[in-house]
């Protein structure tokens, strides 16, 4: 549950407790009490609910009166913070009076109820009992019905009694100005405690015993009323009935809120005074006047504005009357044209409708004639269809016969081709038979050739050529390769040494060039800044140079550190500006988007990708958003004596400005350097106390912040600022220049050494290359000899393989069949081919005969097909002649059908057109058309006559002067607005009269009663001040706005002064305390509350004032008709006045107290014992 801030319970908080809500609360309370009795269970209510309800109910329920408003801006703020529902206001009724439309029963308030026989007024405190409360373990005491003076040293628990009264009666803790949570009021060494207060009940009724339990472990508390568990709402209701006003500073002034009384605005003082004293209806009357006055002012302002608007509207319409008449004349012609256009369209529709009826009859006649012709042509059509069917069947038969004959011819072709193939095969066999002798001679020749080749190969294999040993050559080649590897290793090592010297040479060249650039650019300011940065942070300097060369890799500009990119044009402000920069912020690189921020960190910080090493850099990025604005405007700042804000005296890239404002708050840091003595330091501290911040005056930096403890009071820390080091013009440092020249000489020396080493290595490399060449020649020679041996071995192996192949071929030729066997085989194959050809000839003859038969049948069917086709053509010719007559009849019908639909569509269009024109026309034109249609006048004239009239009226319209339709519309709108405005003015005049009467009645009641109260209080106030040799006056300050009426307290404490208004700053603490108690005493006789309390009001008074105040207070509060009064004080002067009606309560508190007996612990008993002891001693001395 979110805890809400507590607020002061004022009469405004009571207005939320409307009659309806109180009645529902009482009903709900009774229901809850019944449920508690049944279940015999106590309900613990959360403290927040109690506080909230106390704010809602309060103690002045009669202030639900009509038109209640907030008593002041401060109380409105407290009401908004404290109440979740906010304040409610009675709604205005129909005549504008602000009052509750439906009065309902509400809790009756007792005002100064009659005193009982024991001297107590109902609502007075009869008894207080505390258990484990603040400083008390246990205490019980019984205040008197009038003045109760509570005495005791500081820290004994006097103010705790005020706390107990406030909390025990369910008023919020913030009324006390101390701790705001209940557990803090429980004694430190205890876990639970309670407050029990007995209030005097109405005459004839028992007293009210209210008990509230407290716990260290919980913010909740439980209430009991006469030993029955109740809610905080019910306690608040009882307090309202008894008119207990603990939240009113005029009746209950705790120690920690004494100063707040003087700080109350005069308007607040008026409202609190009305609540505490005088007529009980003062606040209600005042609220009515405030609400009604505001409503009256609003009504009067609205009526003045309405009358001015009415006059303006009437003047504007008077100038438009002539144009409106011309417009109406033109409008009459337009309406006549509008009617004629409708008549033309309607008359054309009637003509088309007559034509439609004629065509409809003609279409029917032509359709009947076409159907009759079609009926006569039906037999011829049937014969045509029968012949077509027979013709189609004969065509299919003919095609079938032709296909069968075609298949036979295809079979004949295949047989013929087969015979031709056999003939070719026989011819080939005959040719082979003729060439058998030649093939035999060729076979014998191949046998002899193979035998010669085999003999030559065998001789080659038997006598192979002599070759070197392949193993010896391989050993020599292996040694050459080993030597080659050694040479290459030496060469690789040499190259590594050369590479190292080249790298070192490049490094020294780079250092030489960089040193030369630094020396050349040393006089340049930017370069000198970079040199200074390199001295302070070499990593940051290297990063700057890399970013300058690689800015294109980023989406947006990477802003260099402020040490480089920020400049202070006016060097007088350099030290003050530099004082705002911590060392890390001076070296911070600023990215302008998250993508660049991540890339920058990855390239430079997280990996060695950019510089070859990881570096430590300060980088920053934050998306743009809301930041705290400057505490004051530039004009106000200069009025305070400052030169401006720090951001005004710097020059930097746009991307850096967001860093300066967000991270360093330069836009909120005020600087005064040129004339620091003009600065109002106190005012500057007040400005920065709210939000904290920093300002610089001369060479002193002031940082304002709030304490983290207690009341979080503001405090200012000051420190001196050093002279600027980075934001001033940097002169050339000779030592730096000498150091750079030394670097150049060292780099040149190292570069010369590297060059010499590289030359030595080059000569060594030439020797290695010569050895490598000789090794390559030797290796190539060995490889050639090895290849020759390998080739000879391969050639010998090839000879062996060829020998085996030739031997296989020779064996095949030797195993071939003889010449006679081959001749007999060929003759057998030739005979077999001749037999196959004879069979094919027989089949071919059979196919020829079958093809002839099928061809004859196909010819016969073709003749029948031709005859049937001729018959069908004749019948079709006859049908065509008959069909042309039918087509002519159908064409006639279609033509009439087209005319019929066209006329129908035209008539429909004309009907729609006339309907649309009638729909769009003015109501007057529509009525005229209906009259003519009802009288049958429309068809009395032709379309042409109507068109002639239309042309005439259109001509008249051209000569009629036109007016702006918008002007006419404005005229009529203004006429309606004038009517409505006149009615509204009459209604507001009536409301104003009623409101004025209501205000007069309320003021006639309120002002005399208020004047009487203030005069009475003022007379007592002035008299009291006269008794102490000072002057005081109270007066009412009226105002046209009733919520600004005020009570001004004017005081004078010295003869050479004039009367001055009491404020929280003008008078001293003692003077404010004296004025406060004098005012509260002056209210006492008029008070309506059953008891009042003032805590340590005499602090800061001198002895004379304190004595006068004490004696006056005793006199006022000990009268017969005085209400109960509590005066808490830690000290008393000697020889003060006392009264028999006052009661003195002495607080004795400490680590050890004796048990209370008849003699020890009872003050009265101790006094009586002392008097008795003194009397005895006096008697003895006399004897």
């Amino acid at each position: 549950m979110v805890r809400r801030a507590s607020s002061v319970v004022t009469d405004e908080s009571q207005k939320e407790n409307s009659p309806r809500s109180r009645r529902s609360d009482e009903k709900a309370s009774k229901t809850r009490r019944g449920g508690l009795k049944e279940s015999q269970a106590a309900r613990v209510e959360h403290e927040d609910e109690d506080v909230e309800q106390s704010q809602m109910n309060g103690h002045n329920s009669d202030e639900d009166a009509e038109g209640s408003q907030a008593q002041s801006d401060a109380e409105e703020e407290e009401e908004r913070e404290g109440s979740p529902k906010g304040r409610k206001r009675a709604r205005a009724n129909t005549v504008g009076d602000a009052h509750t439309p439906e009065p309902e029963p509400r809790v009756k308030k007792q005002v100064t109820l009659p005193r009982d026989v024991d001297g107590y007024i109902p609502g007075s405190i009869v008894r207080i009992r505390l258990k484990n409360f603040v400083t008390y373990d246990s205490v019980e005491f019984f205040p008197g019905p009038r003045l109760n003076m509570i005495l005791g040293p500081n820290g004994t628990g006097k103010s705790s009694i005020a706390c107990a009264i406030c909390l025990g009666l369910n008023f919020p803790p913030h009324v006390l100005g101390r701790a705001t949570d209940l557990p803090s009021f429980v004694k430190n060494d205890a876990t639970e405690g309670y407050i029990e207060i007995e209030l005097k009940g109405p005459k004839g009724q028992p007293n009210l015993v209210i008990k509230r339990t407290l716990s260290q472990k919980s913010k909740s508390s439980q209430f009991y009323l006469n030993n029955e568990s109740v809610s905080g709402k019910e306690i608040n209701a009882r307090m309202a009935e008894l008119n207990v006003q603990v939240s009113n500073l005029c009746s209950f002034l705790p120690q920690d809120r004494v100063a707040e009384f003087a700080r109350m605005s005069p308007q607040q003082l008026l409202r609190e005074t009305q609540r505490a004293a005088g007529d009980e209806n003062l606040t209600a009357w005042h609220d009515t006047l405030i609400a009604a006055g505001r409503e009256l002012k609003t009504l009067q302002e609205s009526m003045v504005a309405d009358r001015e608007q009415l006059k303006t509207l009437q003047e504007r319409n008077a100038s438009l009357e002539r144009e409106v008449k011309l417009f109406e004349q033109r409008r009459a012609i337009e309406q006549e044209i509008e009617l004629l256009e409708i008549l033309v369209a309607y008359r054309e529709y009637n003509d088309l409708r007559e034509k439609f009826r004629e065509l409809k009859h003609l279409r029917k006649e032509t359709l009947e004639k076409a159907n009759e012709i079609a009926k006569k042509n039906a037999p011829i059509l049937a014969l045509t269809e029968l012949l077509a069917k027979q013709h189609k069947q004969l065509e299919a038969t003919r095609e079938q016969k032709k296909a069968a004959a075609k298949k036979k011819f295809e079979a004949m072709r295949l047989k013929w081709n087969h015979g031709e193939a056999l003939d070719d095969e026989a011819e080939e066999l005959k040719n082979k038979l003729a060439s058998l002798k030649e093939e035999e001679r060729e076979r014998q020749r191949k046998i002899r050739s193979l035998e010669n080749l085999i003999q030559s190969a065998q001789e080659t294999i038997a006598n192979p050529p002599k070759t070197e040993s392949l193993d010896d050559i391989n050993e020599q080649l292996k040694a050459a390769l080993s030597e080659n590897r050694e040479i290459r290793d030496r060469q690789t090592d040499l190259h590594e040494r050369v590479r190292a010297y080249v790298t070192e040479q490049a490094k020294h060249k780079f250092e030489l060039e960089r040193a030369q650039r630094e020396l050349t650019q040393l006089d340049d300011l930017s370069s000198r800044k970079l040199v200074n940065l390199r001295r302070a942070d070499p990593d940051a300097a290297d990063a700057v140079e890399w970013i300058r060369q690689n800015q294109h890799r980023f989406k947006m500009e990477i802003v260099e550190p402020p040490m480089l990119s920020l400049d202070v044009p006016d060097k007088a402000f350099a030290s003050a500006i530099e004082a705002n920069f911590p060392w890390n912020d001076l070296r911070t690189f600023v990215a302008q988007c998250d993508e660049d921020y991540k890339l920058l960190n990855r390239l430079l910080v997280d990996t060695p990708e950019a510089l070859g090493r990881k570096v430590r850099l300060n980088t920053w990025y934050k998306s743009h958003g809301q930041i705290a604005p400057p505490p004051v405007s530039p004009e106000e700042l200069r009025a305070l004596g400052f030169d401006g804000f720090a951001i005004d005296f710097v020059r930097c890239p746009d991307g850096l400005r967001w860093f300066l404002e967000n991270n360093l708050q330069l836009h909120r840091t005020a600087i005064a350097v040129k004339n620091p003595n003009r600065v109002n330091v106190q005012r500057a501290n007040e400005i920065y106390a709210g939000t904290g911040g920093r300002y610089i005056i001369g060479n002193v930096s002031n940082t304002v912040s709030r304490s983290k403890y207690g009341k979080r009071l503001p405090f200012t820390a000051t420190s001196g600022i050093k002279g600027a080091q980075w934001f001033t013009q940097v002169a050339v440092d000779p030592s730096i220049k000498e150091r750079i020249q030394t670097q150049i000489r060292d780099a040149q020396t190292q570069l010369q050494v590297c060059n010499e080493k590289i030359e030595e290595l080059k000569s060594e490399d030439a020797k290695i290359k010569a050895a490598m060449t000789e090794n390559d020649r030797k290796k190539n020679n060995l490889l050639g000899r090895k290849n020759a041996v390998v080739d000879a071995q391969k050639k010998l192996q090839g000879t062996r393989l060829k020998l085996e192949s030739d031997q296989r071929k020779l064996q095949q030729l030797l195993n071939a069949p003889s010449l006679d066997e081959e001749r007999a085989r060929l003759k057998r194959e030739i005979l077999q081919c001749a037999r196959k050809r004879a069979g094919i000839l027989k089949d071919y003859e059979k196919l020829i005969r079958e093809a002839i038969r099928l061809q004859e049948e196909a010819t016969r069917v073709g003749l029948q097909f031709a005859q049937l086709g001729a018959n069908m053509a004749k019948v079709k010719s006859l049908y065509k002649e008959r069909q042309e007559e039918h087509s002519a009849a159908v064409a006639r019908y279609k033509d009439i059908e087209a005319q019929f639909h066209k006329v129908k569509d035209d008539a429909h269009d004309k009907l729609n057109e006339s309907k649309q024109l009638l729909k769009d026309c003015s109501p007057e034109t529509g009525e005229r058309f209906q009259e003519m249609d009802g009288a049958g006048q429309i068809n009395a004239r032709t379309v042409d006559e109507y068109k002639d009239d239309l042309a005439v009226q259109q001509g008249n319209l051209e000569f009629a002067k036109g007016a702006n339709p918008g002007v006419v519309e404005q005229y009529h709108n203004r006429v309606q607005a004038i009517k409505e405005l006149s009615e509204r003015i009459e209604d507001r005049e009536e409301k104003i009269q009623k409101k004025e009467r209501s205000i007069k009645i309320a003021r006639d009641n309120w002002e005399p009663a208020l004047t009487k109260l203030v005069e009475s209080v003022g007379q007592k106030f002035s008299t009291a001040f006269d008794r102490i040799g000072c002057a005081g006056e109270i007066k009412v300050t009226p105002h046209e706005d009733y919520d600004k009426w005020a009570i001004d307290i004017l005081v004078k404490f010295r003869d050479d002064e004039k009367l001055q208004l009491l404020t929280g700053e003008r008078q001293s603490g003692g003077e404010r305390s004296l004025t406060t108690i004098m005012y509260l005493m002056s209210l006492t006789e008029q008070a309506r509350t059953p008891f009042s309390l003032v805590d340590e009001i005499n602090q800061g008074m001198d002895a004379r004032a304190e004595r006068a105040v004490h004696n006056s207070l005793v006199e006022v509060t000990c009268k017969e008709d005085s209400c109960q009064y509590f005066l808490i004080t830690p000290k008393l002067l000697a020889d003060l006045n006392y009264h028999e009606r006052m009661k003195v309560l002495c607080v004795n508190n400490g680590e050890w107290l004796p048990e209370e007996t008849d003699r020890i612990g009872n003050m009265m008993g101790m006094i009586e014992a002392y008097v008795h002891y003194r009397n005895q001693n006096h008697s003895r001395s006399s004897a």
Side-chain angles (χ1 to χ4, degrees), residues 667-895:
H667 69 297
R668 302 186 75 253
T669 303
I671 294 178
V673 173
K674 295 188 176 179
N675 195 356
N677 296 327
R678 290 181 57 247
V679 177
N680 186 341
V681 178
Q682 182 178 358
R683 178 60 179 149
N685 284 330
E686 292 175 357
I687 290 173
Y688 281 94
T691 59
R694 185 181 192 181
Y695 62 91
I696 297 173
I697 301 176
N699 294 324
V700 179
S701 173
N702 302 268
T703 302
V704 182
S705 57
R706 284 189 173 272
S707 172
K708 297 181 180 179
Y709 308 97
K711 295 184 178 180
R712 298 179 60 83
L713 297 175
F715 66 91
T716 303
T718 61
S719 61
I721 60 177
K722 300 178 182 179
Q725 180 181 0
W726 307 108
F727 294 156
T728 57
Q729 186 72 24
V730 182
V732 178
D733 189 346
S735 63
I736 296 176
K737 188 171 183 180
E738 178 62 27
R739 177 179 58 80
I740 294 173
Q741 291 174 345
T742 301
Q743 290 177 354
I744 293 174
R745 289 192 296 271
D746 293 343
Q748 289 174 341
T749 301
Q750 294 296 332
L751 192 61
Q752 181 63 30
V753 171
C754 289
N755 291 334
E756 293 175 357
K757 292 290 185 181
I758 290 172
E759 289 299 326
E760 292 177 2
L761 294 174
K762 283 182 179 180
S763 61
E764 186 177 350
D765 184 56
K767 296 177 182 179
I768 293 174
K769 286 181 179 179
M772 180 67 72
T773 302
E774 178 61 25
N775 180 267
D776 289 341
R777 185 191 62 76
K778 182 178 178 182
K779 182 179 63 176
N780 292 334
N781 182 31
L782 290 171
L783 287 174
R785 290 161 56 193
K786 179 179 179 180
N787 291 336
V789 174
V790 171
D791 290 341
Q793 292 177 349
K794 288 181 178 179
K795 185 176 180 181
L796 183 61
Q797 182 64 24
T799 303
R800 292 192 182 96
L801 295 175
K802 181 107 173 32
L803 174 62
E804 293 176 358
S805 176
D806 290 344
Q807 287 175 345
R808 285 194 300 272
K809 291 178 180 179
L810 177 60
Q811 189 63 36
Q812 289 176 358
L813 290 173
L814 292 175
N815 294 333
S818 64
L819 184 62
D820 295 335
E821 291 176 356
E822 183 65 20
R823 186 181 294 111
R825 185 184 65 80
L826 289 174
K827 287 181 178 180
R828 287 195 301 272
E829 289 181 0
I830 291 171
L831 179 59
Q832 188 176 2
C833 285
R835 290 173 180 171
K836 289 180 179 179
R837 289 181 66 194
I840 288 172
L841 288 175
K842 290 180 181 180
D843 295 337
Y844 189 77
E845 181 184 4
K846 188 185 293 185
L847 289 171
I848 288 175
R849 294 182 183 278
E850 192 68 28
I852 291 171
R853 181 183 63 78
L854 290 172
Q855 188 65 30
E856 289 175 353
E857 291 178 358
T859 302
R860 186 168 53 254
V861 173
L863 292 174
Q864 292 175 359
F865 176 77
Q867 183 60 46
L868 189 59
N871 296 341
M872 188 172 64
K874 183 63 178 176
V875 173
K876 283 185 176 180
S877 176
L878 179 61
Y879 176 75
K880 183 178 180 182
E881 293 175 0
R882 299 285 184 90
Q883 189 63 22
E884 286 176 356
E885 183 181 0
H886 177 263
S887 298
V890 171
R892 172 67 175 161
Y893 168 76
K894 289 183 178 179
D895 181 55

Side-chain angles (χ1 to χ4, degrees), residues 925-1053:
T925 303
E927 291 176 0
R928 289 183 60 191
F929 176 80
Q930 297 297 338
E931 291 174 359
M932 293 179 67
D933 189 27
Q937 298 176 358
I938 296 177
N939 294 326
R941 303 180 68 187
T942 64
V943 173
D944 293 336
E945 290 174 343
Y946 282 129
K947 288 184 177 180
D948 292 340
D949 291 346
L950 178 62
V952 171
Q953 292 297 337
Q954 288 175 341
N956 293 336
L957 182 64
E958 292 180 0
F959 292 101
K961 183 178 180 180
N964 187 351
V967 173
V968 178
E969 183 180 0
Q970 290 178 6
Y971 177 84
H972 290 295
N973 290 341
R974 288 198 190 107
V975 169
Q976 182 64 26
I978 290 170
K979 180 181 177 182
E980 294 175 356
L981 203 55
S982 300
E983 294 174 354
R984 188 162 69 233
I985 290 173
E986 293 176 1
D987 181 61
R988 283 184 174 161
E989 286 177 345
E990 181 180 354
K991 289 181 178 179
I992 288 173
Q993 293 174 0
K994 291 182 179 180
K995 193 61 63 180
E996 288 175 343
R997 289 196 298 271
S998 174
I999 291 174
K1000 185 177 184 304
I1001 293 171
R1003 182 164 182 170
D1004 290 345
N1005 291 324
W1006 175 68
E1007 188 172 5
L1010 177 63
T1011 303
K1012 179 180 178 182
L1013 171 62
V1014 174
E1015 287 177 352
S1016 174
V1017 174
Q1019 182 179 0
K1020 294 179 177 61
F1021 184 77
S1022 298
T1023 301
F1025 263 78
D1026 289 341
R1027 284 199 295 266
I1028 62 174
C1030 299
E1033 180 183 335
I1034 298 175
K1035 65 177 183 179
V1036 175
T1037 302
H1039 195 277
E1040 61 179 3
D1041 293 336
Y1042 290 100
D1043 59 343
K1044 295 181 180 178
W1045 278 54
I1047 289 180
D1048 291 333
I1049 300 178
L1050 303 173
V1051 292
K1052 183 178 75 169
F1053 294 95

Side-chain angles (χ1 to χ4, degrees), residues 262-290:
R263 293 193 183 97
M264 280 198 302
S265 68
Q267 293 79 16
Q268 286 178 294
L269 182 61
L270 173 64
R271 296 193 66 85
E272 295 297 332
T273 301
Q274 290 179 148
R275 288 181 56 209
D279 194 304
E280 63 176 331
N281 295 315
L282 276 174
T283 300
W285 290 331
H286 192 193
D287 290 339
T288 299
L289 287 172
I290 292 173

Side-chain angles (χ1 to χ4, degrees), residues 278-440:
D279 194 304
E280 63 176 331
N281 295 315
L282 276 174
T283 300
W285 290 331
H286 192 193
D287 290 339
T288 299
L289 287 172
I290 292 173
R294 289 175 178 171
E295 293 175 4
L296 177 61
K297 185 176 181 181
T298 302
L299 287 172
Q300 290 173 340
E301 291 174 352
S302 300
M303 191 173 70
V304 170
D306 288 346
R307 284 178 174 170
E308 292 178 355
Q309 185 181 3
L310 178 63
K311 183 180 179 182
T312 302
L313 293 176
Q314 290 173 342
E315 291 175 351
R316 290 181 179 178
N317 263 17
S319 63
L320 297 178
E321 289 182 356
R322 183 174 178 277
E323 292 188 30
V324 172
K325 289 181 180 179
L326 293 175
F327 175 80
E328 290 175 350
Q329 293 175 0
R330 181 178 177 87
R331 179 61 181 159
I333 297 174
E334 290 176 345
Q335 289 180 348
E336 186 66 24
I337 292 173
E338 193 175 44
L339 177 63
L340 289 171
E341 288 176 345
I342 296 173
L343 292 174
V344 168
Y346 190 71
R347 193 68 182 86
E348 289 177 343
Y349 163 70
N350 287 339
D351 294 345
L352 289 170
R353 185 174 60 179
E354 291 300 324
K355 188 174 181 181
F356 167 77
R357 291 172 179 170
E358 295 175 359
L359 289 172
K360 184 177 181 181
H361 178 70
L362 184 60
R363 183 185 69 159
K364 182 179 180 182
E365 290 181 351
T366 54
L367 179 61
E368 291 176 351
K369 183 176 181 181
N371 290 337
E372 183 179 354
I373 296 173
K375 187 176 181 181
K376 292 180 180 179
N377 290 345
I380 299 175
L381 179 61
L383 178 60
T384 303
E385 292 176 351
L386 177 62
L387 292 175
K389 183 177 179 181
Q390 293 175 353
H391 187 265
K392 186 175 181 181
Q393 291 175 349
L394 285 175
E395 184 180 13
T397 304
R398 187 188 66 171
E399 292 298 326
Q400 195 175 29
K401 296 296 183 179
K402 288 171 65 177
K406 187 176 180 181
K407 288 182 180 180
K408 294 299 180 182
F409 284 125
E410 180 65 21
M412 289 169 59
R413 186 184 64 79
L414 293 175
K415 287 292 182 180
W416 181 263
N417 291 339
H418 192 194
E420 289 295 324
L422 290 173
D423 188 35
D424 293 340
E425 184 180 353
E427 187 64 28
E428 184 179 355
L429 291 171
K430 290 177 182 179
N431 292 333
K432 285 183 178 181
L433 184 61
S435 62
L436 278 176
K437 292 180 180 181
E438 183 61 31
E439 289 178 357
E440 179 63 20

Side-chain angles (χ1 to χ4, degrees), residues 66-261:
E66 49 197 48
S68 60
Q69 295 292 331
Q71 70 177 17
S72 68
D73 294 339
E75 289 179 345
E76 287 177 359
E77 183 63 25
E78 290 177 350
E79 288 290 301
R80 283 192 293 270
E81 293 177 358
S83 174
K85 300 180 181 178
R87 300 187 320 281
K88 297 181 181 176
R89 196 180 106 168
R91 295 181 179 176
N93 59 19
T94 55
V95 296
D97 294 337
H99 62 80
T100 306
E102 298 181 3
E104 297 184 11
R106 57 186 179 184
V107 178
K108 183 179 179 181
K109 287 174 50 176
Q110 302 296 332
V111 181
T112 316
L113 297 176
R115 192 183 301 274
D116 206 343
V117 293
D118 57 2
Y120 289 95
I121 293 174
S124 299
I125 298 176
V126 177
R127 177 178 61 87
I128 297 177
R129 179 176 177 82
L130 306 176
K131 180 72 172 180
N132 293 331
F133 185 81
V134 191
T135 60
Y136 294 101
D137 290 327
S138 178
V139 67
E140 183 177 20
F141 58 92
F142 301 85
R146 293 177 180 82
L147 177 60
N148 292 273
M149 183 178 293
I150 302 176
L151 301 175
N154 288 329
T156 55
K158 303 183 302 302
S159 298
S160 299
I161 296 173
C163 298
I165 295 173
C166 174
L167 299 179
L169 300 181
N170 196 27
F171 286 87
H174 69 81
V175 171
L176 302 169
R178 291 191 172 189
T180 57
D181 56 331
L182 289 178
S184 60
F185 290 93
V186 180
K187 200 169 187 296
N188 289 335
D189 56 353
T191 58
E192 294 181 349
Y194 65 83
I195 305 167
E196 185 175 281
I197 300 176
E198 183 177 351
L199 299 181
K200 179 65 179 177
K203 192 171 183 179
Q205 297 182 18
N207 291 346
L208 282 68
V209 179
I210 300 170
K211 182 178 180 180
R212 184 176 193 177
T213 62
L214 305 174
S215 175
Q216 278 274 23
K217 299 179 180 178
S218 173
K219 294 183 180 181
S220 301
S221 63
Q222 186 173 1
F223 284 95
Y224 295 91
L225 180 60
N226 296 333
N227 294 324
E228 290 187 7
S229 178
V230 295
S231 67
K233 295 180 181 179
E234 295 183 59
I235 299 298
N236 293 335
R238 291 302 185 96
M239 296 303 101
E241 291 176 7
L242 297 172
N243 199 25
V244 176
Q245 297 185 23
V246 173
S247 62
N248 190 343
L249 292 181
C250 292
S251 60
F252 193 91
L253 191 61
Q255 174 185 354
D256 295 308
R257 300 191 68 195
V258 171
E260 291 186 23
F261 184 89

